[in-house]
Amino acid sequence: MTAQIVLDEYLATCQEACAGEMRQLFPPDEPGPSGLFDLILDYPLRGGKALRPTLSIAACLGLGGRLEAVLPTAATLELYHNAFLIHDDIEDESLLRRGRPALHVDHGIPIAINVGDAMMALSLQPLLDNVERVGLGPALRILRAVAAMTRRTVEGQAVELDWVRRNTWQLDDADYLAMVERKTSWYSFITPLQVGAMAAGADAAHLAPLEPLGRHLGAAFQITDDLLNLRADPEDYGKEIGGDLWEGKRTVMLLHALRHAAPADRQRAWQILARRRPDPDAGAALGDLLDALATSGDLTPAGRSEILGHLRGHGRAEVKALDDVRWLHDLLHRTGSLDHARTVAARQAEAAAAALAALDWFPASRHRDVLAGLVDYVHERTR
Amino acid sequence: MTAQIVLDEYLATCQEACAGEMRQLFPPDEPGPSGLFDLILDYPLRGGKALRPTLSIAACLGLGGRLEAVLPTAATLELYHNAFLIHDDIEDESLLRRGRPALHVDHGIPIAINVGDAMMALSLQPLLDNVERVGLGPALRILRAVAAMTRRTVEGQAVELDWVRRNTWQLDDADYLAMVERKTSWYSFITPLQVGAMAAGADAAHLAPLEPLGRHLGAAFQITDDLLNLRADPEDYGKEIGGDLWEGKRTVMLLHALRHAAPADRQRAWQILARRRPDPDAGAALGDLLDALATSGDLTPAGRSEILGHLRGHGRAEVKALDDVRWLHDLLHRTGSLDHARTVAARQAEAAAAALAALDWFPASRHRDVLAGLVDYVHERTR
């Protein structure tokens, strides 16, 4: 078997174990009040890569721990991850998640907010049950790690939302990396690795060196994710294509392009980025209706533009057009920003590999091989 | 001093102590990333009644505990309460909170969702620090109580949101009371009382009898709150007046009115309640604009109604009018539903008083007097 197949099988096994654990936490035959359990399991069972549970499981088993000791904690982190995704999708106005409508598109924003809250609320009990499972010391260490993790995640999210709100664009790679460390690396990489080690009974001296491994893995992962968003085919990738450009997401390549564009191009890019993405609700159909009314003589051209101007004026700036987004995409290429981002991602992956190599107390095993395989995977993946 | 003044002073002292504790948790001179701490403190420092911290403090001190033992936990519950309020205000499309714009009105839905998440995330650390403060046993009991509390709250919220989504109206007092117990009583009354007792070192035998006290207090409180929403003056009360009717909130009086209305009235009420509240964004101003265009000849009457129909068709049913809400208000009076609700609230307050009287192991003290005063307060208050 090739290394890739071994890694894929390990990921699939972890995903299955984690999905089984979640089904036990939220039994489908006891759907909870008003189908809450079904809604909680919706995103997790859409078949993500189970990267976070796999990191926890590989760290735990690789350090001599048992699967049962880590599985509920791994499932809990996956629950947090999916809760963040649900709230992110509302905050970013994303319409799709893993190739299907986002939860708030299917069930409305109120229910989607509450399902995310429920997933966070229901994460505490399995972590408290760790006292019986792994002993008091490790259980408290895991709880403290999760408390610090969620704090950092919401802080990172606050930084990013504040950039959006203030229309902040003069940011460099260091700003981006600091935000991603808080928003993504802690909950997706550092904490999963550390709680896996804690469940195996690792002491503080062995926890600290897992932090740089997770930090660099997280950065390499996120930059690669952002690159995939730009180039992927709808068939290949379950998010909206170029959704990041429509949304105006701060990425290594977009920030690089703004720093390296000619002044006139930078000006034009800022103008485009200040525009909102079109509102799917009151979007194209309304324009078509107004055009039809204008053609039939029910509406004068002046009246048409007054209505459109009025609607746009309601708290929303001008709307991005497809040509705007195409022009931005072109700018990224002209400024060599994709290559720059690939270089930054590769450097982060190298730093992660070096951090893993430095863990001389982590015994050679297939679990360690999986961690090494994941270092390559996160920045070489194509989907 | 009258009993009312004593109670008011006790509430004010608890509010001050709790606000001080929160300012220590989120120091204004370290505003956190992107002003997150300021946003976290926004609702808590708008000056609520501090009912929840007062219940915790009175239970703890009344059972011989120290203020320092309970204060961080009391502040944490107040934090949860305000996080729920922020998310509730988005979910219910409320515009005002304590007489000022709701957080999502001031800062947008994305930031408001994240601030609520942050408050929940940051609640875990002070509860973990309880281990050093009150000892391991009580700290773990408090954590378990909070885990159960948050689960019940999101379950209650899920039930209510599901009623809204499915346009469910055939509900009786028992349905309402079961929802309120989950959504309100646990986090606002039962758990505050119980964690106060836990911080004083109370054992399991003393925790169980606090549950009926909190349950009935919660029901009396919520029904009174719903009654105030109907009758209060803008000057007296920091919420939108009659906001519950615009929102179509299930209350004891509205459900009673639907059960006791003449068939034709019930039919009309259902039709009104199926309508949305007006969207503040695209509301009156657009109607005025279309009228002006129609008058100037830029728009035919047929075109005008097509545009309005189109906008309303975008996922939103017809919109409630002021006359609709006035008619509903009148229906509540005609069916004697306000009197019915007052009777149910009084019965719940009596049950709470009986539950308190049964606590013969809870020593007589001014703390116990405060609990007795709160039983009267929650259903006799006028604001």
Side-chain angles (χ1 to χ4, degrees):
Chain A
M1 286 203 292
T2 69
Q4 184 59 51
I5 293 174
V6 173
L7 179 62
D8 285 348
E9 285 198 357
Y10 197 99
L11 280 163
T13 305
C14 292
Q15 189 196 29
E16 209 171 296
C18 183
E21 182 69 24
M22 283 200 255
R23 281 204 190 86
Q24 226 172 324
L25 289 171
F26 309 106
D29 46 323
E30 287 169 41
S34 306
L36 187 59
F37 289 1
D38 288 342
L39 294 171
I40 285 174
L41 291 177
D42 182 334
Y43 272 23
L45 298 187
R46 285 188 187 191
K49 293 172 289 283
L51 209 52
R52 292 153 196 84
T54 300
L55 289 166
S56 293
I57 291 169
C60 179
L61 301 189
L63 291 170
R66 294 166 303 115
L67 180 64
E68 309 80 67
V70 72
L71 199 50
T73 304
T76 298
L77 292 189
E78 193 65 4
L79 213 57
Y80 270 110
H81 167 52
N82 283 279
F84 294 143
L85 290 182
I86 291 173
H87 284 186
D88 269 9
D89 285 345
I90 303 170
E91 292 167 14
D92 301 340
E93 303 181 10
S94 298
L95 303 178
L96 294 174
R97 170 62 60 187
R98 292 175 191 149
R100 288 172 44 200
L103 201 75
H104 67 98
V105 173
D106 271 347
H107 300 279
I109 288 178
I111 286 179
I113 293 177
N114 190 57
V115 171
D117 289 350
M119 292 162 87
M120 294 186 208
L122 292 162
S123 298
L124 188 50
Q125 191 59 54
L127 297 179
L128 289 169
D129 295 341
N130 272 341
V131 173
E132 284 79 46
R133 198 178 289 123
V134 295
L136 185 61
L140 286 177
R141 273 195 286 282
I142 290 172
L143 274 165
R144 291 204 178 94
V146 170
M149 168 195 101
T150 51
R151 178 169 58 76
R152 289 186 169 109
T153 307
V154 294
E155 286 178 356
Q157 182 76 350
V159 169
E160 194 178 31
L161 290 172
D162 196 59
W163 289 345
V164 172
R165 185 173 163 76
R166 294 178 193 274
N167 201 28
T168 304
W169 287 104
Q170 278 157 307
L171 300 163
D172 58 24
D173 288 348
D175 298 316
Y176 172 88
L177 290 170
M179 182 276 290
V180 163
E181 178 183 329
R182 276 171 149 161
K183 187 187 154 163
T184 302
S185 295
W186 274 97
Y187 95 82
S188 298
F189 294 89
I190 301 172
T191 309
L193 285 167
Q194 289 184 330
V195 299
M198 289 169 187
D203 55 33
H206 290 152
L207 298 174
L210 294 172
E211 192 181 311
L213 170 57
R215 173 179 300 117
H216 297 301
L217 260 175
F221 172 85
Q222 190 59 56
I223 298 168
T224 305
D225 211 53
D226 294 345
L227 281 163
L228 283 169
N229 185 277
L230 285 177
R231 75 171 187 203
D233 234 43
E235 300 298 317
D236 267 4
Y237 199 61
K239 281 204 218 173
E240 300 158 281
I241 298 319
D244 287 354
L245 286 177
W246 285 101
E247 182 191 322
K249 182 175 173 182
R250 278 74 180 155
T251 60
V252 167
M253 35 287 184
L254 185 52
L255 297 173
H256 178 272
L258 290 171
R259 291 195 306 272
H260 293 84
D265 281 345
R266 187 182 302 127
Q267 205 59 40
R268 177 162 175 195
W270 279 341
Q271 280 167 5
I272 292 173
L273 290 166
R275 294 176 192 149
R276 269 179 67 90
R277 72 155 66 185
D279 183 342
D281 223 37
L286 179 61
D288 290 349
L289 170 71
L290 296 182
D291 288 343
L293 288 172
T295 307
S296 71
D298 277 333
L299 184 66
T300 65
R304 180 184 177 285
S305 65
E306 237 182 292
I307 292 173
L308 280 175
H310 172 85
L311 288 172
R312 283 178 184 150
H314 271 287
R316 48 196 71 180
E318 220 180 319
V319 170
K320 286 192 192 78
L322 184 56
D323 278 347
D324 290 338
V325 172
R326 283 193 185 128
W327 185 87
L328 285 176
H329 199 275
D330 186 53
L331 181 71
L332 297 185
H333 278 92
R334 278 191 284 128
T335 49
S337 298
L338 297 163
D339 285 338
H340 170 71
R342 282 187 205 106
T343 305
V344 177
R347 225 180 286 143
Q348 291 291 329
E350 281 159 27
L356 178 60
L359 306 180
D360 48 14
W361 44 269
F362 197 118
S365 68
R366 67 189 185 97
H367 310 295
R368 186 177 171 125
D369 293 344
V370 163
L371 294 180
L374 285 174
V375 174
D376 296 333
Y377 166 78
V378 294
H379 96 286
E380 286 171 5
R381 69 209 165 93
T382 54
R383 47 180 293 150
Chain B
M1 287 200 293
T2 68
Q4 184 59 50
I5 293 175
V6 173
L7 179 62
D8 285 349
E9 285 198 357
Y10 197 99
L11 280 163
T13 306
C14 292
Q15 189 196 29
E16 209 171 295
C18 184
E21 182 69 24
M22 282 200 255
R23 281 204 190 86
Q24 224 172 325
L25 288 171
F26 308 106
D29 46 323
E30 289 168 38
S34 308
L36 187 59
F37 289 1
D38 288 342
L39 294 171
I40 285 174
L41 291 177
D42 182 335
Y43 272 23
L45 299 187
R46 287 189 186 188
K49 292 172 290 285
L51 209 53
R52 294 155 195 83
T54 300
L55 289 166
S56 294
I57 291 169
C60 179
L61 301 189
L63 291 171
R66 295 166 301 116
L67 180 63
E68 309 80 67
V70 73
L71 198 50
T73 303
T76 298
L77 293 189
E78 193 64 5
L79 213 57
Y80 270 111
H81 166 52
N82 283 279
F84 294 143
L85 290 183
I86 291 172
H87 284 186
D88 269 10
D89 284 345
I90 303 170
E91 293 167 13
D92 300 341
E93 303 181 10
S94 298
L95 303 178
L96 293 174
R97 170 62 59 186
R98 292 175 190 150
R100 289 172 44 200
L103 200 76
H104 66 97
V105 174
D106 271 348
H107 301 278
I109 289 179
I111 285 178
I113 293 177
N114 190 56
V115 171
D117 289 350
M119 293 163 87
M120 295 187 208
L122 291 162
S123 298
L124 188 48
Q125 192 60 54
L127 297 179
L128 289 169
D129 295 340
N130 272 341
V131 174
E132 284 78 47
R133 198 177 291 124
V134 296
L136 184 62
L140 285 176
R141 272 196 286 282
I142 290 172
L143 274 165
R144 289 204 179 93
V146 170
M149 170 196 99
T150 51
R151 177 168 60 74
R152 289 188 169 106
T153 307
V154 295
E155 286 178 356
Q157 181 76 350
V159 169
E160 194 178 31
L161 290 171
D162 197 59
W163 288 344
V164 172
R165 185 173 164 76
R166 294 178 193 275
N167 200 29
T168 304
W169 288 103
Q170 277 157 307
L171 299 163
D172 57 24
D173 289 348
D175 298 316
Y176 171 88
L177 290 170
M179 183 276 290
V180 163
E181 179 184 329
R182 277 171 149 160
K183 187 188 155 164
T184 302
S185 295
W186 274 96
Y187 94 83
S188 298
F189 294 90
I190 301 172
T191 309
L193 286 166
Q194 289 184 330
V195 299
M198 289 169 188
D203 55 32
H206 291 153
L207 298 174
L210 294 172
E211 192 180 311
L213 171 56
R215 173 181 300 117
H216 297 302
L217 260 176
F221 172 85
Q222 189 59 56
I223 298 168
T224 304
D225 210 52
D226 293 345
L227 280 163
L228 284 169
N229 185 276
L230 284 177
R231 75 170 185 203
D233 233 43
E235 301 299 316
D236 266 4
Y237 197 60
K239 279 204 219 171
E240 300 157 281
I241 298 317
D244 287 355
L245 286 178
W246 285 103
E247 182 192 322
K249 182 175 172 182
R250 277 74 179 155
T251 60
V252 167
M253 33 288 183
L254 185 52
L255 298 173
H256 178 271
L258 290 170
R259 291 196 305 274
H260 292 84
D265 281 345
R266 186 183 302 127
Q267 205 60 38
R268 179 163 173 196
W270 280 340
Q271 280 167 6
I272 291 173
L273 291 166
R275 295 176 191 147
R276 271 181 65 92
R277 73 154 65 185
D279 182 342
D281 221 36
L286 179 61
D288 290 349
L289 170 71
L290 296 182
D291 288 344
L293 289 172
T295 307
S296 71
D298 276 334
L299 183 66
T300 65
R304 180 183 177 284
S305 65
E306 238 182 291
I307 291 172
L308 281 175
H310 172 85
L311 288 172
R312 284 176 183 152
H314 270 287
R316 47 196 72 181
E318 222 180 317
V319 170
K320 286 191 192 79
L322 184 56
D323 278 347
D324 290 339
V325 171
R326 283 192 184 129
W327 185 87
L328 285 176
H329 199 275
D330 186 54
L331 181 71
L332 297 185
H333 279 91
R334 278 191 284 130
T335 49
S337 298
L338 297 163
D339 285 337
H340 171 72
R342 282 186 204 108
T343 306
V344 177
R347 224 181 285 143
Q348 291 291 329
E350 281 159 27
L356 178 60
L359 305 180
D360 48 15
W361 44 268
F362 197 117
S365 68
R366 67 189 186 100
H367 310 296
R368 187 177 171 126
D369 293 344
V370 162
L371 294 180
L374 285 174
V375 173
D376 295 333
Y377 167 78
V378 296
H379 96 287
E380 285 171 7
R381 70 208 163 93
T382 53
R383 48 181 290 150

